[in-house]
Amino acid sequence: MSSQVPPPLPQSAGYGVVVGLGVAFALGMVWTTHLLKKTFNENANSTETFMVANRTIGTGLTSCAVISSWLYSSALLGATLLTYSYGLALGVWWGASASTMITVMAYLAIQAKRRAPNAHTLLEIIKVRYGQGAHRLWIFLCLLNNTFVFTSMIVGSSTSVSALTGMDVVASSYLLPLGVAVYTYFGGLKATFLTDYVHTFIIMVIICWFTIRVITVNEIGSISALYDAVVVAGREKPVSGNHQGSYLTMRSEQCLYFGILHVIGNVGAVIMDTGFWQKGFSADFAAAVPGYVLGGVASFSVPWAFGTIVGLAALALEKSASWPTFPNAMTPGEVNAGLVLPYVAQAVAGKAGAGAILVTIFMSTTSIASAQMIATSSIISFDIYGTYINKTPSNAQLLRWSHIGVVFSSLFISTLATAFHKGGVDMTWLLYMIGLLTCPGVFPTCLALLWTRQTKAAAITAPIVGMACGLAVWFGTAYAYYGEITIASTGGTMPCLFGTITSFAVPLPVTVVISLVQNERFDWAILGEIEQVKTDGGRSGNGGASQAQPEAAGQDSTLFTPERAKYLKRMSRWAAFWAVFTVLGHVLLWPVPMFGARMTFSKSLFMGWVVISLIWLWFTLVVAIFYPLVDGGIQQMWAVVTKVAGRGNGKNLGGERSGTLQVDSTEQVGVLAKA
């Protein structure tokens, strides 16, 4: 993808990683799925297992999956390129846009468990509350969200793989999701959680190694020397809009604009991503809130530490002979395509560094791809086929269409990414504009679980008006600023910022006003009537997939008592506290006051800044790698070993959970829904 830098690795390395590791993971997950079925009686041919992992995922694996959900290849590439362009404030803003949204999602996830404990998808809840008209609209909104999130990742990843290996960018776009489609096809959501752990293990080890390697490379040598080099870079090419043109200040207009844009955009990217909801449905009742909160807080460190160190290191290294483009500077096209990280890798570790980043990009891409495929396939099977094509689907039919959805999403996203490549759309353009399309449904979605008075008309009208207004402001602002409407002008900071804020904010007053005028109230107990899907191949009940018959007695996730209802209500308060605390801390009390301070970092402050970010990064490694093992992982692995060896019986994959209470009738669901 660069005309001035030859790839450091041969094409065979690219195909070896993309195809070879993809096939290895696919075979490994197929084998693991077989062992889970043999040891724990986990049957991937059950819709409940394929889509929501039997709702038994523990705290450790949930937190790991949350961290994995923010290890986007586009986040690793984007945080470094924008830090290189605008300075260290960017890492804090990017981290805040990840952590705050996850803690907010923790609150919504626990509310979903209280209101609709047997739901499989967000869209199922929307259909039961508002009917088929709203359901169709949310299908469009969620598919639009998943499509652009998935595509932006493939665009950035395939560009980097091409730059590192010379592999054809179109081949990379199609082959990156291929192995993922195979193991997701066979393993479903449980395979996603397990591969999340393996991928996150490898990514976190490489990230922690790479940040230390960057600081200690001969051309830099220490945090103090990195500071000195960045000070010089600020004098030689000052950043417009930064205090004194320095890269070492939180007073950065572009970072502030991007921070607002990305925080708001990620609200939509999370809340309108059915994959995050499915992970919430899959978590054990006792694991949802602590898993999401722990994973959300830990995820802050990756863009902060990694983006800050690698992005600033690029400023220090670009004048050294080890820099790939030396003696030339990087072109704007190379920067916007996300090649800052691959170039730093080559500069500090040669082919070994390029290989490590290649593996990291592959792992982060495939981890997210698996979750996105499951999310999209659930919409295709449960919400399209099971609602409008076959209104009484069997478990086998739903599963077949889930498999079709996995294959379709892989091919469609690869094709769309190829079209973007050919049309001149890069990762930076997608990062800036994506909030326009993800945000219109945010407030109506939240109010569907939090406010009894939101009406059907309000829920349908608000996102349509919001998206129309957002697009109008986007195009209008692009024309006002640049005098034309092109890819370049619509990718500008201010058009994307104003458009995203509009599409996010407009639906709230629209839905509130219409709802208050109509003055209707919804009974939460209706959501509690959503039931699970049969595993014996029988037909579901009236209403299609959203009202399938319950599992046989003994499934904990369908059985509730007043004690459990009180527990979930208490956890919802804790989730609300952490959501407010994280938003205040990571957005309002940290970067905003420092933006107003009009100061540049001293060397001692910068050194403390980097050291704390590294400590936080290693804390994230502990949460992602070791906590899942302590939280039942070791016992479960031992159960697999003993079962394979012919001894012992497996226990539930989610581990033993406190508060698992059983009653004789599923009518107790109403107790939870009314709580």
Side-chain angles (χ1 to χ4, degrees):
M1 296 300 294
S2 172
S3 59
Q4 61 175 333
V5 179
L9 301 173
Q11 286 193 30
S12 58
Y15 284 100
V17 169
V18 173
V19 178
L21 281 182
V23 171
F25 265 95
L27 294 176
M29 284 303 105
V30 171
W31 178 68
T32 301
T33 302
H34 170 72
L35 289 182
L36 291 176
K37 180 178 180 180
K38 182 178 180 180
T39 307
F40 302 109
N41 197 29
E42 293 284 349
N43 183 11
N45 290 323
S46 160
T47 298
E48 292 295 322
T49 302
F50 189 89
M51 294 182 63
V52 290
N54 286 327
R55 311 169 201 269
T56 58
I57 301 299
T59 303
L61 209 53
T62 299
S63 61
C64 178
V66 168
I67 295 171
S68 175
S69 297
W70 285 116
L71 289 177
Y72 280 65
S73 57
S74 53
L76 301 177
L77 297 167
T80 53
L81 80 86
L82 291 174
T83 299
Y84 167 82
S85 300
Y86 303 125
L88 58 71
L90 191 283
V92 176
W93 280 112
W94 198 304
S97 70
S99 60
T100 54
M101 298 313 104
I102 294 299
T103 53
V104 170
M105 189 63 212
Y107 178 70
L108 293 176
I110 203 66
Q111 293 301 322
K113 284 189 172 295
R114 294 178 63 204
R115 311 296 193 202
N118 290 325
H120 305 82
T121 69
L122 163 66
L123 299 169
E124 187 178 20
I125 294 174
I126 296 297
K127 178 178 179 292
V128 170
R129 176 158 185 182
Y130 299 118
Q132 291 189 353
H135 183 245
R136 294 190 187 98
L137 175 60
W138 256 257
I139 288 175
F140 170 76
L141 294 173
C142 292
L143 285 177
L144 192 66
N145 177 83
N146 290 353
T147 295
F148 274 86
V149 169
F150 196 175
T151 305
S152 67
M153 179 186 60
I154 296 296
V155 167
S157 300
S158 57
T159 301
S160 296
V161 169
S162 177
L164 289 168
T165 67
M167 183 178 179
D168 183 78
V169 71
V170 175
S172 177
S173 298
Y174 276 94
L175 292 175
L176 274 170
L178 182 62
V180 187
V182 174
Y183 69 69
T184 305
Y185 183 100
F186 288 102
L189 193 61
K190 186 60 64 65
T192 296
F193 276 97
L194 296 175
T195 52
D196 278 349
Y197 176 77
V198 177
H199 290 157
T200 305
F201 186 106
I202 297 171
I203 293 170
M204 290 305 304
V205 169
I206 293 177
I207 286 177
C208 289
W209 163 77
F210 191 70
T211 51
I212 301 300
R213 174 63 180 169
V214 167
I215 294 172
T216 58
V217 70
N218 291 334
E219 289 82 356
I220 298 177
S222 66
I223 300 175
S224 175
L226 176 61
Y227 174 86
D228 294 335
V230 176
V231 169
V232 173
R235 293 171 183 162
E236 294 179 348
K237 52 173 190 177
V239 183
S240 176
N242 281 22
H243 181 61
Q244 298 179 351
S246 174
Y247 292 90
L248 300 169
T249 178
M250 291 293 292
R251 179 76 180 191
S252 170
E253 292 180 1
Q254 288 297 322
C255 289
L256 175 66
Y257 296 152
F258 178 81
I260 297 172
L261 177 65
H262 209 51
V263 168
I264 295 175
N266 275 353
V267 172
V270 171
I271 292 177
M272 299 307 294
D273 186 343
T274 54
F276 279 101
W277 289 88
Q278 279 181 272
K279 289 179 179 179
F281 292 136
S282 302
D284 182 87
F285 281 98
V289 171
Y292 268 74
V293 170
L294 185 59
V297 172
S299 66
F300 181 94
S301 69
V302 175
W304 180 32
F306 191 77
T308 298
I309 293 171
V310 178
L312 296 182
L315 294 168
L317 293 168
E318 63 181 352
K319 290 189 176 182
S320 67
S322 62
W323 189 251
T325 66
F326 183 81
N328 300 322
M330 284 188 291
T331 65
E334 289 173 318
V335 175
N336 290 333
L339 300 185
V340 174
L341 173 56
Y343 285 176
V344 172
Q346 295 175 56
V348 303
K351 290 186 176 181
I357 296 303
L358 176 62
V359 171
T360 301
I361 291 172
F362 170 80
M363 292 294 174
S364 61
T365 302
T366 53
S367 179
I368 304 301
S370 181
Q372 292 295 327
M373 287 179 187
I374 286 290
T376 303
S377 71
S378 71
I379 296 174
I380 292 173
S381 64
F382 223 69
D383 297 291
I384 297 178
Y385 172 78
T387 303
Y388 301 107
I389 299 176
N390 179 2
K391 295 186 177 181
T392 56
S394 66
N395 173 76
Q397 290 170 326
L398 287 175
L399 191 65
R400 184 184 307 117
W401 278 89
S402 294
H403 291 161
I404 292 172
V406 168
V407 176
F408 170 80
S409 63
S410 173
L411 295 175
F412 176 76
I413 295 301
S414 297
T415 303
L416 184 59
T418 300
F420 282 145
H421 281 303
K422 298 298 183 181
V425 173
D426 57 33
M427 183 187 68
T428 303
W429 187 88
L430 289 168
L431 280 176
Y432 273 76
M433 62 73 61
I434 196 169
L436 286 156
L437 305 178
T438 63
C439 289
V442 168
F443 282 117
T445 298
C446 294
L447 295 178
L449 280 170
L450 303 178
W451 195 34
T452 60
R453 297 184 65 178
Q454 180 171 253
T455 64
K456 174 181 176 179
I460 293 175
T461 304
I464 295 175
V465 173
M467 182 171 292
C469 292
L471 292 174
V473 170
W474 183 39
F475 289 125
T477 308
Y479 187 81
Y481 270 83
Y482 303 103
E484 59 181 1
I485 298 177
T486 62
I487 292 176
S489 67
T490 54
T493 301
M494 302 315 292
C496 291
L497 177 62
F498 291 139
T500 298
I501 291 175
T502 301
S503 67
F504 173 75
V506 166
L508 179 59
V510 172
T511 189
V512 169
V513 170
I514 295 176
S515 297
L516 292 179
V517 169
Q518 291 186 310
N519 194 26
E520 299 173 3
R521 291 188 180 274
F522 180 75
D523 183 2
W524 294 124
I526 295 175
L527 294 181
E529 296 174 2
I530 298 175
E531 298 173 338
Q532 292 188 8
V533 179
K534 282 186 176 181
T535 57
D536 59 4
R539 296 285 178 176
S540 59
N542 295 333
S546 63
Q547 298 196 10
Q549 294 296 328
E551 292 274 9
Q555 287 283 346
D556 292 343
S557 54
T558 63
L559 306 175
F560 306 98
T561 65
E563 289 77 12
R564 173 168 284 182
K566 292 179 181 178
Y567 169 78
L568 289 177
K569 190 172 184 178
R570 184 171 69 253
M571 292 303 292
S572 72
R573 290 195 292 267
W574 273 107
F577 164 79
W578 276 105
V580 173
F581 179 81
T582 307
V583 171
L584 289 176
H586 289 184
V587 177
L588 300 179
L589 299 181
W590 185 350
V592 171
M594 293 190 74
F595 176 85
R598 295 180 178 270
M599 48 83 71
T600 58
F601 279 41
S602 64
K603 181 174 290 188
S604 58
L605 176 59
F606 177 75
M607 293 176 67
W609 186 272
V610 173
V611 168
I612 293 173
S613 73
L614 288 173
I615 293 173
W616 203 325
L617 183 66
W618 283 81
F619 164 73
T620 304
L621 181 143
V622 170
V623 172
I625 294 177
F626 296 105
Y627 185 45
L629 296 178
V630 175
D631 188 43
I634 295 176
Q635 296 94 322
Q636 291 158 20
M637 287 188 290
W638 178 249
V640 172
V641 172
T642 55
K643 185 70 175 182
V644 172
R647 309 193 309 270
N649 295 315
K651 295 180 180 180
N652 188 292
L653 185 61
E656 295 296 334
R657 298 289 162 205
S658 60
T660 302
L661 306 173
Q662 296 186 4
V663 294
D664 293 332
S665 172
T666 57
E667 293 177 359
Q668 292 280 348
V669 169
V671 174
L672 188 64
K674 294 177 181 178

